[in-house]
Amino acid sequence: MIRYTVRLADLNRHHFEVLCHIENPVAEQRFSLPSWIPGSYLLREFARHIVSIRAKSDGREIDVEKVSKGTWCCRGANSSLSVTIEVYALDRSVRGAYLDGQRGYFNGTCLFLCPEGLDQQPVEVLLETPGDLRCESWRVATAMVPKDVDQNGFGLYRAENYDELIDHPVEMSDFSDAAFKVAGVPHLLVIAGRHRTDLERIASDLTQLCEAHVDLFGRPPPFDSYCFLGLAVGEGYGGLEHRASSSLIFSRDDLPKLGQPDIPLDYQRFLSLCSHEYFHTWNVKRIKPKTFTPYLLDRRAHTRLMWVFEGITSYYQDLMLLRSDLIGSDAYLSRLGRMLTRVYRSPGRLKQSISDSSFDAWDRLYKPEANSTNATISYYSKGALVALALDLTLRKDSKATLDQVIGELWKRFGEAGIGLEEDEFEALCQEISDLDLTSFFDLAVRGTKDLPLAELLTAFGVSLEFRQAKGPNDTSGLPSSKSEPSLDLGVRFRRHPAGLELMTVVDGGPAERAGMNPGDVVIAIGGLRIVESNLAKRLVRLESGETVAVTAFRGDELMEFSVMLVEGDRNTCVLETVQKPKTAVLERRKAWLGS
Ligand code: ZN
């Protein structure tokens, strides 16, 4: 038995103090902290947040020596050994640890040293009741199994081994919560951070949503309880999946107001995030690539299948909103149109396949830079399109569906606890559909050409139109009534106090041809000051083919560029149902979208 004690040592310094106690250590007992956290494919080297480390054996101090990036060695211990670390925690993301006077949160990867050779031992964790008055109203939320806890949840927890221990993030704060049941299994929604919302409504919508997920994979779900650990912030969006919980960060403005009857886009965004992370409970937490069984947390683990885990999950995240009747088919198609738009606005889709994007996740998707849009494609968004194309191809050309593939993946790999080999997804699709899908996977997964989505969608009574973006904020998959052409500078930018800071200069676009760089801060176009809110209004008065002076700072040097404006690419996607399609087409659409 390994025993950890977690103390909220200093809220103002953001220090956790964590003790790891073992019996019968070896002569040179090593302890290590993971370099990365499963679900987020970047070497984060959590050990860099350790402020101090000390070791005691049978009451006396012994030496601790750091022997590699995240590993320490204790020599000269007798019958028992305790290692205590102080950890600095001020990372508000879902991947780190955080502690201040308002809130404590951690992932075990940040706090729990793993004693070498003992990672399969059962574990107990004592969460000490904080003494600070600011924590008086704090409670604990986690999917870790309680063994002996007080009414606020502080006390003793247990896990079967180290792998489970670090897969249960812990929230400690004055959060609000709502309990609900899905397939008879207790679920809890927790929201930390200031917010005002209709918790009961969210719980009711999540019940509907989660029931649809459980229906897809089969009852009962593979956990005894589930916890959505949410943090409401001003701006932010992301999540991290775990075996019986997920950590979510989202804008408080995305949450529904009290008494709000409809389901606006921002609330759809929140539900879509919950849906995505919940789907992962099966797909990637249990159906896993071979390379993640087990996770080797001191090095990168490469797989060409990230698109299977993130792309298919991204396809289902919105499809499950439709299946659970939270949104209708028009709203679903509009969400799908936005996903398509993200891909068609990435020139990098023509350079990088999703197989390569998956393999290079560690150095490319997780290390975005100015040229990413030109050179790479996300295995999330393009992966979702491939999942869509695969689902439609199976439905059109065989009796199979992607649901069946997912169901078999679950039975053969997830439920059986067997890692998926690199070629097994493709083989399974061929087996279930009885189709030769080699050319499909060559194009969609290993290739960089666009998928024949318009053609596929037509067979399902859905039209796909491409139009120009109507301004910088036009991300929607909605039709536009505006007919005049939109002009384009060929840049992605963000707001800057002085104007617009270029984040990306699109390959072959007007700004690139004029010699502009990422990082340039545009302050004027045609001699007039430019900010985000007036850009579209300025551009609409100019003509395609016209050359305009763009004034920008490069560092502290003021420069002027002659930019020849062109019409924007038709890369905004709009999906709509076709009215009165042929019977066979309508049947297919009903089977796919329900209407
Ligand atoms: Zn994901």
Side-chain angles (χ1 to χ4, degrees), residues 37 57 150 216 314 442:
I37 180 167
S57 177
D150 66 19
L216 177 64
S314 297
D442 281 346

Side-chain angles (χ1 to χ4, degrees), residues 15 56 82 110 154 191 209 262 295 303 417 479 486 529 565:
H15 281 188
K56 269 187 177 177
S82 300
C110 300
F154 290 98
I191 303 184
L209 178 63
D262 56 348
Y295 293 112
T303 169
S486 298
R529 186 172 170 220
L565 297 167

Side-chain angles (χ1 to χ4, degrees), residues 255-266:
L255 300 174
K257 286 182 287 201
L258 268 167
Q260 181 163 29
D262 56 348
I263 180 158
L265 283 179
D266 41 16

Side-chain angles (χ1 to χ4, degrees), residues 39 239 241 276-277 280 284 309-310 313-314 317 380:
E241 64 277 5
H276 181 100
E277 302 308 337
H280 271 320
V284 93
F309 301 101
E310 292 300 349
T313 301
S314 297
Q317 73 186 41
Y380 283 79

Side-chain angles (χ1 to χ4, degrees), residues 483-503:
S483 55
E484 74 262 32
S486 298
L487 298 180
D488 187 36
L489 291 169
V491 296
R492 309 263 189 283
F493 61 81
R494 68 175 171 198
R495 256 174 284 151
H496 183 279
L500 308 173
E501 180 183 357
L502 304 191
M503 305 304 293

Side-chain angles (χ1 to χ4, degrees), residues 140-199:
V140 177
T142 178
M144 210 180 326
V145 180
K147 192 172 174 190
D148 181 16
V149 299
D150 66 19
Q151 74 276 12
N152 291 331
F154 290 98
L156 204 57
Y157 289 82
R158 64 179 171 82
E160 275 180 22
N161 50 40
Y162 187 80
D163 183 56
E164 186 195 336
L165 172 72
I166 59 168
D167 205 15
H168 294 306
V170 175
E171 170 73 34
M172 295 164 285
S173 61
D174 184 13
F175 53 75
S176 59
D177 59 347
F180 54 102
K181 280 197 171 170
V182 176
V185 172
H187 283 53
L188 187 69
L189 165 69
V190 165
I191 303 184
R194 290 181 195 175
H195 59 279
R196 186 191 281 203
T197 186
D198 186 346
L199 267 186

Side-chain angles (χ1 to χ4, degrees), residues 122-345:
V123 169
E124 277 186 3
V125 179
L126 177 67
L127 285 181
E128 280 194 0
T129 306
D132 196 302
L133 281 176
R134 286 173 286 177
C135 310
E136 256 186 338
S137 58
W138 287 17
R139 291 180 295 151
V140 177
T142 178
M144 210 180 326
V145 180
K147 192 172 174 190
D148 181 16
V149 299
D150 66 19
Q151 74 276 12
N152 291 331
F154 290 98
L156 204 57
Y157 289 82
R158 64 179 171 82
E160 275 180 22
N161 50 40
Y162 187 80
D163 183 56
E164 186 195 336
L165 172 72
I166 59 168
D167 205 15
H168 294 306
V170 175
E171 170 73 34
M172 295 164 285
S173 61
D174 184 13
F175 53 75
S176 59
D177 59 347
F180 54 102
K181 280 197 171 170
V182 176
V185 172
H187 283 53
L188 187 69
L189 165 69
V190 165
I191 303 184
R194 290 181 195 175
H195 59 279
R196 186 191 281 203
T197 186
D198 186 346
L199 267 186
E200 293 310 314
R201 177 194 176 174
I202 305 176
S204 152
D205 290 344
L206 284 179
T207 307
Q208 225 169 296
L209 178 63
C210 296
E211 289 280 356
H213 284 255
V214 175
D215 278 340
L216 177 64
F217 287 99
R219 285 161 197 260
F223 40 76
D224 299 324
S225 69
Y226 190 89
C227 204
F228 289 100
L229 298 174
L231 174 64
V233 295
E235 272 181 47
Y237 190 74
L240 192 61
E241 64 277 5
H242 299 282
R243 68 185 62 191
S245 61
S246 49
S247 286
L248 313 167
I249 191 163
F250 44 81
S251 167
R252 60 177 64 89
D253 300 324
D254 286 357
L255 300 174
K257 286 182 287 201
L258 268 167
Q260 181 163 29
D262 56 348
I263 180 158
L265 283 179
D266 41 16
Y267 182 42
Q268 286 180 31
R269 212 163 84 99
F270 168 81
L271 289 172
S272 181
L273 175 65
C274 296
S275 183
H276 181 100
E277 302 308 337
Y278 198 67
F279 195 87
H280 271 320
T281 321
W282 289 266
N283 191 31
V284 93
K285 290 314 300 185
R286 289 174 176 83
I287 306 166
K288 298 183 198 192
K290 188 76 179 266
T291 182
F292 292 172
T293 52
Y295 293 112
L296 299 175
L297 295 174
D298 62 341
R299 68 200 77 167
R300 292 177 173 88
H302 293 280
T303 169
R304 293 190 169 274
L305 296 176
M306 282 319 306
W307 74 271
V308 170
F309 301 101
E310 292 300 349
I312 291 180
T313 301
S314 297
Y315 172 56
Y316 275 97
Q317 73 186 41
D318 290 339
L319 195 57
M320 298 316 277
L321 296 185
L322 173 73
R323 292 235 182 119
S324 57
D325 284 329
L326 287 166
I327 61 173
S329 55
D330 288 347
Y332 171 68
L333 289 176
S334 152
R335 296 191 67 79
L336 193 57
R338 274 203 296 279
M339 185 78 86
L340 264 73
T341 301
R342 284 210 284 281
V343 174
Y344 281 94
R345 285 189 189 167

